[in-house]
C-alpha cells in the first residue's frame, strides 16, 4: 500500500512557501529586533576548537522571537570558587527567510553573538536547532538558537554600534601609560602602540 496520491504532505512547494511567509510575518509581529554579530576566528586552537582572541566586527539587525516566555532559563546564578557566575539562557527563533536575507552564511553558527537591546545584554549562541518544527509540510521554516549570557574575555568588539563596542572598553584588561605633554590628542577606540614592549591596544580614555 502507498500513501494517498491526492494529498502532498511533504513536497507541495506552494504550501511550503506559504508556511515560510506566515512564520516570517508572525515573528515580525511578535518578535524583537536584535543584533546578530558573527564571530571571526583569529588564532583558532584546532584541538580544543577555541579562539581566545576572536573578533566581532559586524552587526546585522534582524527580528527574532523569544521562545523563553517564562523568563531566562539555564542554571541561573551560581556561586562557585571563582565567584558569582550568571548562566542565564534564552532561546530565540529566527526565520530562515530573514536569515537568508542577511547573506552571511548557510546557517547561524555556535560562537556568534546576539545583542538583545531589551536587556542590554550580549548572548552567545551555544546550539543551533534546525529541525523544529519537525518538517512541517516538508519544510523547515526556523532556526532555534539556544543562547547563554556572554562572558567577555578580551575579544575585540568593533561593530560600529557604541552600545555594543563599549562592552570591550568597560571589561577588557586595562594598562595606563604616562605620556609627555606633546603627545597629541586621542579618540576613544583609536588603536595605539606604545611602551618599551610596543603594546598595542585601544584607547579607553585619556
Amino acid at each position: 500500500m502507498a500513501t494517498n496520491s491526492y494529498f502532498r504532505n511533504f513536497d507541495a512547494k506552494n504550501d511550503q512557501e506559504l508556511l515560510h511567509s506566515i512564520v516570517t510575518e508572525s515573528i515580525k509581529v511578535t518578535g524583537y529586533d536584535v543584533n546578530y554579530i558573527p564571530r571571526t576566528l583569529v588564532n583558532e586552537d584546532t584541538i580544543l576548537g577555541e579562539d581566545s582572541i576572536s573578533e566581532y566586527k559586524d552587526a546585522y539587525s534582524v527580528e527574532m522571537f523569544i521562545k523563553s516566555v517564562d523568563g531566562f532559563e539555564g542554571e541561573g546564578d551560581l556561586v562557585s570558587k571563582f565567584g558569582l557566575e550568571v548562566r542565564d539562557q534564552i532561546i530565540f527563533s529566527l526565520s530562515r527567510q530573514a536569515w537568508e536575507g542577511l547573506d552571511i552564511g548557510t546557517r547561524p553558527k555556535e560562537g556568534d553573538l546576539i545583542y538583545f537591546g531589551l536587556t542590554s545584554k550580549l548572548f552567545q549562541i551555544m546550539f543551533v536547532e534546525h529541525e523544529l518544527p519537525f518538517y512541517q509540510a516538508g519544510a523547515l521554516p526556523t532556526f532555534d538558537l539556544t543562547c547563554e549570557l556572554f562572558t567577555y574575555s578580551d575579544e575585540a568588539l568593533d561593530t560600529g554600534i557604541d552600545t555594543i563596542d563599549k562592552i570591550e572598553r568597560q571589561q577588557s584588561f586595562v594598562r595606563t601609560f604616562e605620556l609627555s605633554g606633546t603627545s597629541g590628542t586621542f579618540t576613544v577606540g583609536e588603536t595605539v602602540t606604545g611602551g618599551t614592549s610596543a603594546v598595542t591596544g585601544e584607547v579607553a580614555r585619556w
Side-chain angles (χ1 to χ4, degrees):
M1 298 293 292
T3 57
N4 193 317
S5 60
Y6 293 101
F7 295 89
R8 298 172 57 191
N9 296 321
F10 298 104
D11 63 349
K13 298 298 183 182
N14 290 338
D15 290 351
Q16 292 174 357
E17 289 299 322
L18 177 61
L19 176 62
H20 281 294
S21 297
I22 291 174
V23 169
T24 301
E25 186 63 25
S26 298
I27 293 177
K28 284 180 176 291
V29 171
T30 60
Y32 291 88
D33 288 325
V34 302
N35 291 106
Y36 186 92
I37 310 170
R39 176 174 65 168
T40 300
L41 298 177
V42 178
N43 185 23
E44 183 182 10
D45 186 330
T46 56
I47 296 176
L48 299 177
E50 298 177 347
D51 186 357
S52 60
I53 53 174
S54 299
E55 294 180 346
Y56 298 90
K57 296 182 177 180
D58 301 295
Y60 300 86
S61 179
V62 64
E63 66 278 2
M64 294 189 189
F65 176 73
I66 301 173
K67 296 192 72 173
S68 309
V69 294
D70 293 328
F72 291 115
E73 300 179 354
E75 299 180 37
D77 301 342
L78 302 175
V79 178
S80 69
K81 62 180 179 180
F82 301 107
L84 179 65
E85 296 183 19
V86 181
R87 298 182 181 178
D88 289 338
Q89 285 189 349
I90 190 170
I91 300 176
F92 293 102
S93 279
L94 168 63
S95 162
R96 285 180 180 258
Q97 282 189 348
W99 170 257
E100 291 168 0
L102 299 180
D103 194 26
I104 55 175
T106 57
R107 71 174 187 88
K109 295 181 180 179
E110 291 80 2
D112 292 352
L113 302 181
I114 294 174
Y115 180 74
F116 187 26
L118 185 65
T119 61
S120 301
K121 295 182 184 297
L122 272 176
F123 291 87
Q124 185 172 35
I125 299 175
M126 310 303 292
F127 178 70
V128 179
E129 174 58 69
H130 66 285
E131 291 183 320
L132 284 177
F134 189 70
Y135 292 95
Q136 191 175 49
L140 295 169
T142 62
F143 295 105
D144 278 0
L145 314 178
T146 300
C147 306
E148 192 171 280
L149 194 64
F150 179 59
T151 301
Y152 181 77
S153 56
D154 281 332
E155 293 86 355
L157 299 175
D158 297 302
T159 64
I161 300 176
D162 187 64
T163 54
I164 298 175
D165 296 346
K166 72 179 182 181
I167 296 174
E168 177 186 2
R169 299 195 296 269
Q170 292 173 343
Q171 300 188 23
S172 60
F173 174 75
V174 176
R175 289 187 62 178
T176 301
F177 296 93
E178 292 186 5
L179 305 174
S180 65
T182 58
S183 298
T185 61
F186 302 92
T187 57
V188 174
E190 176 185 356
T191 300
V192 296
T193 301
T196 56
S197 57
V199 177
T200 299
E202 293 184 5
V203 176
R205 59 183 179 275
W206 68 279

